Amino acid sequence: MPTKYPISPRVAALENGIGTFWHDIEEDGAPLVEPIEAEPGWSLLTFLWRDRDGDTRNVFIVGGPGHWSIREDVMRQVQGSDVWFRTYRVRSDFRGSYRLSPNDSLVDLDDVEDEDWPARSASFQPDPLNPRRLVWPRDPEDPSDRDEVRSVVELPDAPPQPWFEPRPGVPSGTVEMHRIRSRILDSERRVWVYTPPGYAAGREPCGVVLLFDGSMWAHTMPIAPTLDNLLAEGKAPPVVAVMVGNVNRNVELPCHQPFVDFLTSELVPWVRERWRVSEDPARVIAAGQSYGGLASAFAALRAPDVFGNVLGQSTSCFWKDRSDFDLESEWLTREFVRCPRVPIRLHLEAGLIETGRHSILGKNRHLRDVLRLKGYELTYHEFNGGHDYLCWRGGLADGLIALTAGWPKAGNDMGRDGESGSAGEP
């Protein structure tokens, strides 16, 4: 069984016969987690596939501790058996979601255009040996969308995510969906607005959290319970969260000035007219992941009088401004170098395994260093995971706690009396 990768001892033992291997796996589940005795804090993590019908040509692991790499993340078969496997050496605080793709086309994922993605990902499926699932429900307004089910792996030392799940007895805020038409962008989009429990009884204006990829945080992986729990525990003040839906994500989010103009001239005034929110930029956070992190930092750099805080997770700092024939990467980082320092605060995070083709980890470290040299107020964190909402949902709470630490706390029993507000109340 020659391989340059680490091999699980349990898989290596299969050379002496299959024995009760699959019976044990079906009882205990997969992937296998085997602590490395000689390396405290490290484990071997082994993904498995059973070739029940004898027709498996390959199995590609999409996500998890890998790098979405056809070369690195394809399983190997144990000779003379129906066992396919791939073992990774990982730190024992790893967390991630993944899917398996049996008989994959092996087309490099970076070569797939957006419109071709449904066909490329058609073979992706959850791990049949892993009972832990993460379900992303389909968008009810998108007839082409479908539920997406991923498998979850969390090693024993993965940091807790105590805020994401709803808690019994914690008052709930209200989420309402609206539609806003943009003259600047010539488009209409959905916007979801969260108001905290006690909003109707409150007197003081709330801070604002503007979240990109709004459907994700409103519908797929709801952020409302996190905001409720943080408020109830006194970890963050009451906020109005504005979750902005996408029309053309790949155009609007990566450093697109017309999108910033839409935010500052249309969306933010629309919010201020309808909800009791602060106009102090120091109490406004622009937050996003990947391209959404890029949009957040760019919006604050261009409009610090509106957005005084940035929460960027796995920010796509590799982005190039091709419209100006600028083929150098890290355009936004170079903009921070070029521009005078503006009065904004930032919280950035990136995953330790985001080291593939775009080197998101390395480029976020570069942005961090540039910001510190420029004198920006910055908190920075690295988590043991990848480009993954399963990680971001915990990091989002951490970023909100960090950025709102100096904001006024809840008043008028906000977050304790269970009373929810609605749009347009005085």
Side-chain angles (χ1 to χ4, degrees):
M1 208 162 35
T3 175
K4 66 176 182 177
Y5 303 118
I7 300 177
S8 154
R10 290 182 64 182
V11 171
L14 292 178
E15 292 183 331
N16 299 320
I18 202 77
T20 63
F21 182 81
W22 284 122
H23 176 268
D24 295 342
I25 296 300
E26 287 169 355
E27 281 200 349
D28 299 336
L32 292 175
V33 180
E34 298 166 286
I36 304 174
E37 292 185 7
E39 297 182 86
W42 290 82
S43 297
L44 295 178
L45 181 63
T46 302
F47 295 83
L48 297 164
W49 177 265
R50 187 172 191 179
D51 184 13
R52 293 181 181 273
D53 300 320
D55 62 352
T56 300
R57 301 187 305 276
N58 63 66
V59 185
F60 175 40
I61 304 167
V62 188
H67 300 93
W68 295 63
S69 166
I70 296 299
R71 184 171 60 88
E72 299 285 341
D73 301 318
V74 174
M75 292 186 182
R76 301 176 65 89
Q77 185 176 15
V78 178
Q79 188 173 1
S81 80
D82 60 358
V83 179
W84 290 69
F85 78 100
R86 170 69 165 93
T87 299
Y88 299 87
R89 175 182 171 273
V90 298
R91 229 169 57 179
S92 299
D93 58 352
F94 174 78
R95 170 184 281 116
S97 63
Y98 69 97
R99 288 171 289 175
L100 302 181
S101 181
N103 297 327
D104 189 81
S105 68
L106 302 184
V107 172
D108 193 301
L109 300 181
D110 286 329
D111 294 335
V112 181
E113 300 294 337
D114 290 341
E115 59 271 20
D116 299 327
W117 184 253
R120 177 65 183 86
S121 61
S123 60
F124 297 179
Q125 64 176 65
D127 184 346
L129 298 171
N130 184 352
R132 298 196 60 195
R133 303 286 173 89
L134 177 67
V135 180
W136 293 12
R138 61 177 293 275
D139 183 343
E141 294 199 9
D142 183 354
S144 66
D145 200 18
R146 62 190 183 203
D147 288 350
E148 184 175 299
V149 184
R150 299 189 177 194
S151 295
V152 172
V153 57
E154 294 175 302
L155 269 61
D157 296 332
Q161 294 183 332
W163 310 110
F164 181 72
E165 298 291 343
R167 296 181 182 179
V170 170
S172 299
T174 299
V175 177
E176 296 179 342
M177 192 270 283
H178 303 264
R179 299 181 192 275
I180 180 171
R181 176 79 191 174
S182 169
R183 177 189 57 79
I184 293 171
L185 299 175
D186 191 24
S187 62
E188 181 180 88
R189 75 191 63 231
R190 289 174 292 172
V191 175
W192 294 263
V193 178
Y194 162 93
T195 50
Y199 171 81
R203 295 291 184 270
E204 296 298 320
C206 294
V208 179
V209 178
L210 186 73
L211 271 165
F212 299 113
D213 294 311
S215 178
M216 172 60 68
W217 296 112
H219 176 67
T220 305
M221 192 170 283
I223 195 62
T226 293
L227 301 174
D228 295 337
N229 293 331
L230 292 176
L231 177 58
E233 290 289 325
K235 297 294 184 179
V239 298
V240 170
V242 182
M243 295 163 268
V244 186
N246 297 322
V247 173
N248 190 335
R249 185 179 191 276
N250 291 339
V251 171
E252 294 176 346
L253 295 189
C255 303
H256 189 52
Q257 185 60 48
F259 187 68
V260 176
D261 296 340
F262 156 68
L263 297 176
T264 57
S265 301
E266 296 179 329
L267 180 66
V268 170
W270 176 83
V271 171
R272 288 173 176 170
E273 287 175 3
R274 290 163 174 78
W275 287 274
R276 192 173 57 253
V277 297
S278 174
E279 296 189 13
D280 181 358
R283 293 179 61 198
V284 180
I285 299 172
Q289 301 73 37
S290 193
Y291 270 172
L294 199 67
S296 300
F298 180 68
L301 181 61
R302 287 290 187 262
D305 57 327
V306 178
F307 306 108
N309 302 271
V310 174
L311 202 171
Q313 298 179 276
S314 300
T315 298
S316 298
C317 299
F318 58 84
W319 182 77
K320 306 174 182 181
D321 184 6
R322 296 183 183 277
S323 65
D324 288 339
F325 302 100
D326 179 359
L327 298 183
E328 290 188 66
S329 66
E330 300 184 81
W331 182 88
L332 181 65
T333 300
R334 289 183 286 113
E335 277 296 282
F336 273 104
V337 171
R338 185 183 66 82
C339 297
R341 182 170 63 87
V342 295
I344 62 175
R345 301 164 60 237
L346 303 98
H347 177 90
L348 303 177
E349 70 167 12
L352 288 172
I353 65 172
E354 295 189 274
T355 57
R357 176 180 175 185
H358 293 308
S359 188
I360 284 177
L361 176 62
K363 289 178 171 58
N364 272 265
R365 287 173 174 173
H366 186 204
L367 176 60
R368 172 202 63 191
D369 294 345
V370 163
L371 292 170
R372 286 176 175 169
L373 287 171
K374 293 281 288 191
Y376 282 94
E377 185 177 344
L378 168 72
T379 53
Y380 178 81
H381 175 251
E382 293 178 356
F383 57 89
N384 190 14
H387 209 67
D388 197 328
Y389 278 97
L390 188 67
C391 300
W392 294 334
R393 71 183 189 182
L396 184 57
D398 296 337
L400 292 173
I401 292 171
L403 290 173
T404 62
W407 295 13
K409 297 300 182 183
N412 301 296
D413 294 324
M414 206 177 265
R416 295 187 291 275
D417 62 9
E419 185 176 5
S420 298
S422 59
E425 294 186 359

